[in-house]
Amino acid sequence: MTNNKKAKMNPTKKILFAMLIGLLVGIALHYLVPAGDFKQNILVDGVFFLFGQGFIRLLQMLVVPLVFFSIGTGVMQMRDISQFGRVAVRTLLLYFFTTAIAIAIALFISKLFKPGIGMDLAQASNSANSGADVAPPTLIETLVNIIPKNPIESLANGDMLQVIFWAFMTGIVVGRFATELKLLEDFMEVGNTFMMKVTSMVMKAAPVGVFALIARTFTDIGLGIVGPLLTFLGSVLGSMVILILLAYLPLIAISSKSSPSHFLKKIFPVYTFAFSSASSNATIPLTLSACDSLGVPREISSFTIPLGATINMNGTAIYQGCAVIFIANAFGIDLTFGDLVTVILTAVLSSVGTAGVPGSGMIMLSMVLSSVGLPVEGVSLIMSVERIVDMFRTALNVTGDVVATFISANMEKLIDKARYLSDEKPMMEEVDF
């Protein structure tokens, strides 16, 4: 029995192996099987779609009840609401601060590498205002919309900010009147335990789902990323690496007073899964488990992580900054310093309330393009690499959520140091696939 357990592949390695096999299968199908061929259609739109999207749907199924019960029980069990408030405000400020830094880095790197130069699409620039009707929500509207008109409707529709608000209110009331509301308190605790068990079961399907998602992606696009698109992709990835090196790692080292290598080791499974799923919301269960292994109290992470999946879009901000410069260069449009400032402000504000699901970055990008008069149809120029960029930016988005949560909890001296320094892994590592 012991030998069999030792022989079993590490769950994270299973995910990486599934990604590699999916990549190879996808490329083979793209180049060896004619597009539109019956066999390819059966695999891409049949098998791969079924298992890939089926797995994503399973994860999305978990998000709303998991967030509600996690936040509700976390707040319900808290003794110092004021301490929680300080952590929440600090985390929120970190989200906005790092998002602004991310897009500033992207604009600088893109100005340096000049993606899109030479594409000569200036003749299409006469439609620069075609997307002017797309406008980001104002800050006041966003704040008002956090309060649900109907909590049941918000739960049903998956409006994450409203779900978070209602769960927070529920936790406060039940915690304050625990004696009178003992039945509701038990319901919240049992509900939270139930969601942990369901999450553990769903995660067993991770390797199969990841294989199907990656295989379908590369069957569609192959390796057809050349010329200016390679420069664009390089600008995005380079900006992400710079953000990690110049912002994330120093902040982790300063707040924890230790090497960030231990932190990176613990969140690697989360980064890998976020990359393959391209969905911040779908990754929430594993992200919460990673925060547990980092020693962050669940009453903190159950609030900041779902909030981050909704408003903290560092990877998406980098993508937008690089895409704006790429599209401006492709259409021969010069952006002023004021335009660049507008891009930063619009990207940060429009990130609030954007869905943490695959493709949502395209909606945000159209808003940003409109804000500086760039043709919205320029989005089509980067559609061929959208899926690949989407995976990288989602992974960075989720990493940023964990970094901000860890730093905020550390500054409040809430980190369980023994648990952080242990070899404990996120839930995916513990699941026997």
Side-chain angles (χ1 to χ4, degrees):
M1 184 72 75
T2 304
N3 291 334
N4 288 339
K5 283 200 166 186
K6 287 183 178 179
K8 287 184 178 180
M9 186 182 293
N10 179 284
T12 299
K13 291 181 180 178
K14 284 187 178 182
I15 296 292
L16 293 174
F17 184 70
M19 290 175 63
L20 176 61
I21 298 301
L23 171 67
L24 296 176
V25 170
I27 291 174
L29 286 173
H30 180 84
Y31 290 106
L32 300 180
V33 181
D37 183 86
F38 176 74
K39 293 179 181 177
Q40 190 184 95
N41 287 341
I42 286 292
L43 287 173
V44 175
D45 298 324
V47 178
F48 295 163
F49 182 83
L50 173 64
F51 287 100
Q53 293 304 310
F55 180 59
I56 291 295
R57 291 290 287 266
L58 282 173
L59 291 168
Q60 291 172 334
M61 171 188 75
L62 301 175
V63 172
V64 171
L66 179 64
V67 168
F68 176 76
F69 285 116
S70 292
I71 293 179
T73 54
V75 174
M76 185 177 71
Q77 294 167 358
M78 276 189 341
R79 289 173 171 76
D80 188 353
I81 296 294
S82 64
Q83 186 180 55
F84 173 83
R86 290 194 301 271
V87 173
V89 171
R90 187 182 291 115
T91 305
L92 193 62
L93 292 176
L94 273 170
Y95 284 160
F96 284 112
F97 177 67
T98 54
T99 299
I101 289 179
I103 195 169
I105 290 173
L107 292 173
F108 175 77
I109 295 298
S110 297
K111 279 288 189 180
L112 198 62
F113 288 96
K114 304 183 186 307
I117 289 290
M119 294 186 71
D120 195 23
L121 300 176
Q123 67 272 16
S125 62
N126 57 1
S127 59
N129 295 320
S130 62
D133 57 326
V134 182
T138 66
L139 181 60
I140 297 300
E141 289 173 338
T142 300
L143 292 175
V144 171
N145 288 337
I146 291 175
I147 304 173
K149 293 180 182 178
N150 182 341
I152 306 303
E153 182 181 13
S154 299
L155 290 166
N157 293 336
D159 296 324
M160 291 309 297
L161 290 178
Q162 296 182 7
V163 171
I164 291 170
F165 182 89
W166 179 241
F168 184 71
M169 292 294 295
T170 301
I172 290 178
V173 174
V174 175
R176 187 174 180 181
F177 302 100
T179 303
E180 297 94 323
L181 301 175
K182 186 66 171 65
L183 184 61
L184 189 55
E185 181 184 37
D186 293 341
F187 169 74
M188 296 293 289
E189 290 178 347
V190 171
N192 189 51
T193 302
F194 169 74
M195 288 312 303
M196 294 298 105
K197 299 294 185 184
V198 174
T199 300
S200 179
M201 291 180 62
V202 169
M203 290 307 300
K204 293 182 179 181
V208 175
V210 166
F211 164 80
L213 289 167
I214 297 295
R216 189 169 190 265
T217 294
F218 282 90
T219 301
D220 288 339
I221 67 174
L223 296 175
I225 308 168
V226 294
L229 286 177
L230 275 178
T231 310
F232 167 70
L233 191 61
S235 298
V236 172
L237 300 184
S239 300
M240 291 180 176
V241 171
I242 291 174
L243 179 67
I244 292 172
L245 294 178
L246 297 185
Y248 287 177
L249 297 186
L251 286 172
I252 294 167
I254 292 171
S255 64
S256 65
K257 297 179 181 178
S258 63
S259 170
S261 59
H262 198 69
F263 176 93
L264 295 176
K265 180 181 178 182
K266 290 206 169 193
I267 68 167
F268 182 71
V270 181
Y271 186 93
T272 303
F273 184 79
F275 176 85
S276 60
S277 68
S279 173
S280 298
N281 281 345
T283 314
I284 284 176
L286 188 58
T287 311
L288 289 172
S289 181
C291 288
D292 291 343
S293 70
L294 289 167
V296 178
R298 180 56 75 100
E299 58 263 30
I300 299 299
S301 62
S302 63
F303 175 78
T304 59
I305 293 302
L307 182 66
T310 306
I311 71 171
N312 187 38
M313 303 287 177
N314 295 341
T316 303
I318 284 176
Y319 160 75
Q320 290 171 348
C322 294
V324 163
I325 300 298
F326 173 77
I327 292 170
N329 289 339
F331 284 92
I333 300 173
D334 292 325
L335 296 177
T336 65
F337 178 76
D339 290 333
L340 298 181
V341 173
T342 300
V343 168
I344 293 175
L345 293 176
T346 306
V348 172
L349 292 177
S350 65
S351 68
V352 178
T354 301
V357 296
S360 61
M362 305 302 289
I363 300 170
M364 292 173 61
L365 179 58
S366 66
M367 295 179 183
V368 176
L369 292 174
S370 298
S371 71
V372 288
L374 289 175
V376 175
E377 62 268 26
V379 169
S380 63
L381 298 176
I382 52 179
M383 285 298 291
S384 62
V385 294
E386 158 64 15
R387 176 65 184 180
I388 291 178
V389 175
D390 199 15
M391 293 189 291
F392 277 105
R393 71 181 182 225
T394 301
L396 190 68
N397 288 342
V398 173
T399 302
D401 297 344
V402 182
V403 168
T405 298
F406 179 76
I407 292 171
S408 296
N410 230 322
M411 293 178 71
E412 203 65 37
K413 302 187 186 305
L414 295 175
I415 296 292
D416 184 339
K417 293 291 184 181
R419 196 169 188 182
Y420 172 63
L421 296 174
S422 71
D423 292 328
E424 179 184 350
K425 298 294 193 303
M427 182 184 299
M428 189 171 71
E429 291 286 317
E430 298 168 356
V431 173
D432 181 9
F433 288 16

